[in-house]
Amino acid sequence: MMQTHFDAIVVGAGPAGVSAALTLRARNKSVLMCYSDQGALKTAHRVDNYPGMPRMPGEEMLRIFHAQCEEAGVVMYPHAVRQMLPMGDTVSVMAGEELFTASCAILCVGVVRQSRIPGETEYVGRGVSYCATCDGMFYRGKKIAVISAYHEGVEECNFLASLAGETCYFSEKKHDRAGLADNVLVMDGRVTEILGDGKHVTSVRAGDEEFPVDGVFILRPATPPDQMIPGLALEDGAIWTDEGFATNLPGVFAAGDCTGMPYQAPVAAGQGNAAALSAVRFLDQK
């Protein structure tokens, strides 16, 4: 059975997340690393300014990073974090289909560049959700729209279809939809707007048609941090932190590109180390 409570949860597996996780392990803290992809570094043809790894392809750097994490005892969990809730002494994290808790968390999610659907932000928590496991139960017997950007959304959609009265599946980006349950209605076109009455979602628009729904689930490989964690403070679109990389939420830290420029692997690694040391102090004072 998989361990469900950790001293720290690190969200992201790039230079900042790896550095944070290794530092936490060096201080004898249990660490879970959640990640849905490997960020911008994976696509880098060559990195020339990372100490000790000259002229290294980004994908090879990540392979070495992750092997080092596994050797250090970091629990690697390659699934997107859908929701994170600071709950006083602990932080609750929903990733994939699992619920984890930790005494603190470090966000190293990089830059999540996503254009939001008109109406999406307005109706978050009022019919728009990013977590099937968290909110699916509220839509038993109701009609929902699932907007998915990747194949992994198929499994979550099938779970939702087992609860909802009617489930419509819209593709936000082209992907393999094989495996969708027979009772899922696969829709043509992309959702261009989420509509509501000011209080709750009432429908979605795709092309020239409007489809009445009770709820909308948006499934993407990464969730913008302010949607992942209610109340998280941003500044100029980046996560706000103090000098010790603590956010405005107790027990939640952030490092790397998600905290703003410059977007450089060596900078992210250094920030991940500093954020982990702050997290260690936080843990030791509890």
Side-chain angles (χ1 to χ4, degrees):
M1 185 174 180
M2 187 173 182
Q3 180 181 348
T4 58
H5 181 79
F6 296 83
D7 291 321
I9 290 178
V10 176
V11 185
V18 167
S19 178
L22 291 173
T23 300
L24 288 161
R25 287 298 300 138
R27 296 301 181 96
N28 203 33
K29 307 302 181 185
S30 59
V31 182
L32 174 71
M33 177 181 284
C34 298
Y35 59 101
S36 59
D37 57 39
Q38 299 180 40
L41 185 59
K42 184 177 181 179
T43 63
H45 175 68
R46 192 176 80 176
V47 179
D48 291 321
N49 66 340
Y50 200 92
M53 294 186 177
R55 300 176 297 280
M56 179 74 70
E59 191 169 8
E60 178 63 10
M61 287 180 67
L62 286 167
R63 187 194 66 77
I64 295 170
F65 286 165
H66 294 181
Q68 189 175 358
C69 282
E70 291 177 351
E71 185 178 352
V74 176
V75 177
M76 311 287 281
Y77 189 68
H79 295 277
V81 170
R82 299 296 177 198
Q83 194 168 56
M84 180 181 292
L85 294 173
M87 304 175 67
D89 291 338
T90 62
V91 178
S92 176
V93 174
M94 176 62 67
E97 299 300 320
E98 298 291 336
L99 177 64
F100 301 99
T101 59
S103 299
C104 71
I106 304 179
L107 304 176
C108 305
V109 295
V111 179
V112 181
R113 296 184 176 91
Q114 290 176 346
S115 57
R116 303 182 188 182
I117 301 166
E120 176 180 343
T121 301
E122 180 183 355
Y123 287 104
V124 169
R126 296 188 295 166
V128 170
S129 175
Y130 301 95
C131 180
T133 305
C134 307
D135 298 327
M137 66 188 74
F138 299 117
Y139 294 90
R140 288 185 181 276
K142 298 184 178 181
K143 184 174 182 178
I144 61 171
V146 174
I147 303 171
S148 177
Y150 68 143
H151 176 66
E152 283 74 5
V154 168
E155 182 179 348
E156 293 189 65
C157 179
N158 289 343
F159 166 72
L160 289 166
S162 71
L163 301 172
E166 185 175 330
T167 303
C168 302
Y169 190 92
F170 295 87
S171 297
E172 188 172 49
K173 295 181 180 179
K174 187 176 180 180
H175 61 272
D176 183 5
R177 298 180 300 196
L180 279 170
D182 292 340
N183 62 332
V184 174
L185 301 174
V186 180
M187 313 300 289
D188 294 326
R190 293 178 58 186
V191 172
T192 56
E193 189 175 5
I194 297 171
L195 305 169
D197 57 11
K199 296 181 180 179
H200 201 272
V201 165
T202 58
S203 62
V204 297
R205 179 174 287 127
D208 296 328
E209 294 187 72
E210 190 172 319
F211 301 87
V213 294
D214 299 301
V216 178
F217 286 81
I218 301 176
L219 309 177
R220 298 180 177 126
T223 303
D226 59 322
Q227 295 175 14
M228 183 195 304
I229 314 172
L232 182 69
L234 303 183
E235 187 175 275
D236 297 327
I239 300 174
W240 176 89
T241 67
D242 64 14
E243 293 181 356
F245 297 96
T247 71
N248 64 306
L249 301 176
V252 180
F253 302 82
D257 291 358
C258 63
T259 64
M261 296 180 69
Y263 303 140
Q264 295 288 322
V267 174
Q271 290 184 355
N273 172 265
L277 292 174
S278 293
V280 168
R281 287 191 290 271
F282 173 82
L283 291 169
D284 290 346
Q285 291 169 4
K286 293 188 74 170

